Amino acid sequence: MNALMENYREKQREAELKAAIDAGFRHIDTAYVYEVEEEVGRAIRSKIEEGTVKREDIFLTSKVWSTFNGPELVRPCLERSLKKLQLDYVDLYLIHLPTSLKHGEEVFLKDEHGKFIFDTVDLCDTWEE
């Protein structure tokens, strides 16, 4: 049942974004941590294929998640997002939060007490990447 509901939610989000583009929305905000990049990409590509918009008509913003703030991790995070979006570029790529979390596959890595594990990354280094 969970997979069925998730599939429904994905289709619903995609339909909502298509309706927003039809209504004239041109700035779309997404992020790695939102876990909706595939639906966002499908909706944008669909509207491009229909001729409703061109890629350059859409201003797409995404964000590097806090577990990828290490300078060596920024580009791989962006490339992962672009692969999920199935697009060639984003127009604006931001640092999601002004704090860094310990790198790992978990979006919110926690210790044995359930507390977030922070990292000491200089955000100036993140920004330079």
Side-chain angles (χ1 to χ4, degrees):
M1 184 64 159
N2 286 342
L4 183 61
M5 282 304 296
E6 185 55 34
N7 185 45
Y8 171 77
R9 287 186 196 115
E10 288 175 9
K11 296 292 183 194
Q12 186 65 30
R13 285 189 293 257
E14 187 178 333
E16 290 166 354
L17 185 51
K18 287 179 182 179
I21 293 170
D22 286 340
F25 285 77
R26 296 297 182 260
H27 182 192
I28 298 169
D29 178 86
T30 191
Y32 172 88
V33 73
Y34 300 162
E35 298 179 345
V36 296
E37 292 170 315
E38 290 165 339
E39 297 101 288
V40 169
R42 278 195 305 269
I44 292 171
R45 289 190 320 278
S46 173
K47 288 299 166 182
I48 290 170
E49 289 168 11
E50 288 177 12
T52 305
V53 292
K54 297 178 197 158
R55 171 60 186 94
E56 56 268 18
D57 296 334
I58 300 289
F59 191 90
L60 181 60
T61 300
S62 191
K63 300 166 211 74
V64 62
W65 180 236
S66 298
T67 57
F68 295 94
N69 282 350
E72 72 284 359
L73 301 171
V74 174
R75 186 169 303 274
C77 187
L78 172 60
E79 289 170 355
R80 182 184 290 186
S81 290
L82 290 172
K83 185 176 181 179
K84 286 184 177 185
L85 290 161
Q86 292 185 21
L87 295 171
D88 296 329
Y89 65 96
V90 296
D91 297 284
L92 179 63
Y93 197 56
L94 301 170
I95 296 172
H96 201 114
L97 296 172
T99 58
S100 295
L101 298 172
K102 185 87 171 156
H103 177 67
E105 288 305 311
E106 297 288 326
V107 175
F108 295 102
L109 196 59
K110 296 180 182 178
D111 66 16
E112 64 275 3
H113 304 290
K115 299 195 185 259
F116 294 119
I117 303 173
F118 291 93
D119 200 358
T120 54
V121 174
D122 184 339
L123 291 181
C124 291
D125 294 338
T126 305
W127 179 253
E128 287 177 15
E129 183 55 34

